[in-house]
Amino acid sequence: MNGLPADNPRPPAPRRWRWMGPGLALVVLGGTGLYALVHPRSPSSPAPTETRAPPSPTAPQATRAPTPRPAAPTAQATSPKAAVPTDDAEQKTRREAARQSARQYRAGRFNAFFRKEVFVEELARDGASRIDGLRSELADPTALQQLPADARFMENKPEPVLERMAMIDLLFELAPNEPAARDAMTSLALSPIDSGLSDPVKKGLVGEKYDLLFRLAQVDRQLAVDTYTRLDNPRLKSLLREALMAGLAESGASPAEVQRMTAHL
């Protein structure tokens, strides 16, 4: 099938690979059956019903009236239900911060006075909080569900696609020094795609997985190979092989090293 790498290792890819990851994946996608790329989401199994033992016929029945409880104090602890909105609000704040960072990063790339190293250093100060926001935002396909049925990804990429690509860029920039960023890239690359999503959303998600694996290979070669090995969809695995090979070449690995690391695949 078009888009799959040749048997012989490729020479190191030029720098233009950096912004072409999702696009190349979608070119190959155009000739495939999209529904074969995803696993249908298995229905959630119902929670087991708790079986209670019947009361023993010999058990004595309580005859005394219950002892009256003291009046509850005026200041009461916050109930678990009251804490949930706080958690939700914190998660929303993290996700909004992730979107804002992605927009600033995108705008900065076209600004001669933008210093990427300083921006990434400031981003890293938020640590796990900012990485969690990026992971949560990318794990939620809601933004892609706004795409029209005839959305095109190769030319004039839609705004939600560009914003999510910038989020992957930020994970990539943080990954060399932040294990949590590498973990986020791995989990997003391996996450299943819901077969009930529309075709544009599926195409967008496959393109993102292509980009994630391509970038991960540049940061941690062995982790990228291990992540690729764990993919359980043969059709998706065939498509993402191109991303792995290109990422390894972009990382500076020699053709012999690429061949050695991928000989078992």
Side-chain angles (χ1 to χ4, degrees):
M1 167 143 188
N2 293 336
L4 295 180
D7 293 335
N8 295 326
R10 291 170 175 261
R15 296 301 300 177
R16 63 189 179 87
W17 274 102
R18 178 168 177 74
W19 290 100
M20 293 177 62
L24 289 178
L26 296 170
V27 168
V28 182
L29 262 178
T32 65
L34 187 60
Y35 286 93
L37 293 175
V38 296
H39 285 304
R41 176 177 294 177
S42 59
S44 302
S45 56
T49 303
E50 181 181 359
T51 303
R52 296 181 180 272
S56 171
T58 60
Q61 301 296 321
T63 57
R64 293 190 305 167
T67 303
R69 297 183 179 180
T74 304
Q76 295 183 355
T78 304
S79 65
K81 291 184 178 179
V84 173
T86 303
D87 295 340
D88 289 346
E90 182 179 357
Q91 186 64 17
K92 288 179 181 179
T93 300
R94 291 183 178 185
R95 291 179 60 171
E96 178 58 30
R99 290 191 292 268
Q100 290 291 343
S101 296
R103 291 165 190 157
Q104 293 172 10
Y105 182 80
R106 283 181 56 203
R109 290 187 294 106
F110 302 102
N111 187 334
F113 299 99
F114 178 71
R115 297 188 59 188
K116 184 179 71 174
E117 296 78 9
V118 175
F119 180 84
V120 173
E121 182 179 348
E122 292 177 351
L123 193 69
R125 289 174 187 164
D126 292 333
S129 172
R130 190 57 53 91
I131 292 171
D132 179 68
L134 291 167
R135 183 208 299 257
S136 298
E137 191 65 20
L138 287 168
D140 183 359
T142 301
L144 295 178
Q145 291 174 339
Q146 304 171 10
L147 299 176
D150 59 349
R152 297 182 178 275
F153 295 85
M154 289 300 296
E155 301 175 357
N156 301 321
K157 291 182 177 63
E159 182 66 20
V161 174
L162 291 172
E163 187 170 289
R164 290 169 68 89
M165 287 175 63
M167 293 180 196
I168 295 175
D169 287 341
L170 292 179
L171 286 175
F172 170 69
E173 296 292 350
L174 292 167
N177 300 314
E178 295 287 346
R182 298 194 292 274
D183 290 343
M185 296 173 75
T186 299
S187 66
L188 289 166
L190 292 173
S191 61
I193 299 177
D194 183 1
S195 62
L197 295 172
S198 65
D199 283 3
V201 177
K202 291 175 186 174
K203 289 179 181 179
L205 292 175
V206 171
E208 289 174 7
K209 293 180 185 301
Y210 191 102
D211 203 19
L212 284 161
L213 190 61
F214 170 70
R215 302 299 181 83
L216 187 61
Q218 297 174 55
V219 177
D220 190 324
R221 297 172 187 171
Q222 189 59 53
L223 179 59
V225 172
D226 294 342
T227 300
Y228 176 83
T229 304
R230 292 170 59 190
L231 291 168
D232 58 1
N233 186 309
R235 187 71 202 109
L236 183 61
K237 197 170 186 178
S238 175
L239 174 63
L240 296 189
R241 182 183 175 87
E242 180 80 14
L244 177 65
M245 295 296 191
L248 291 173
E250 183 74 2
S251 74
S254 67
E257 288 177 303
V258 174
Q259 179 65 29
R260 176 182 58 80
M261 296 186 72
T262 59
H264 64 288
L265 301 178

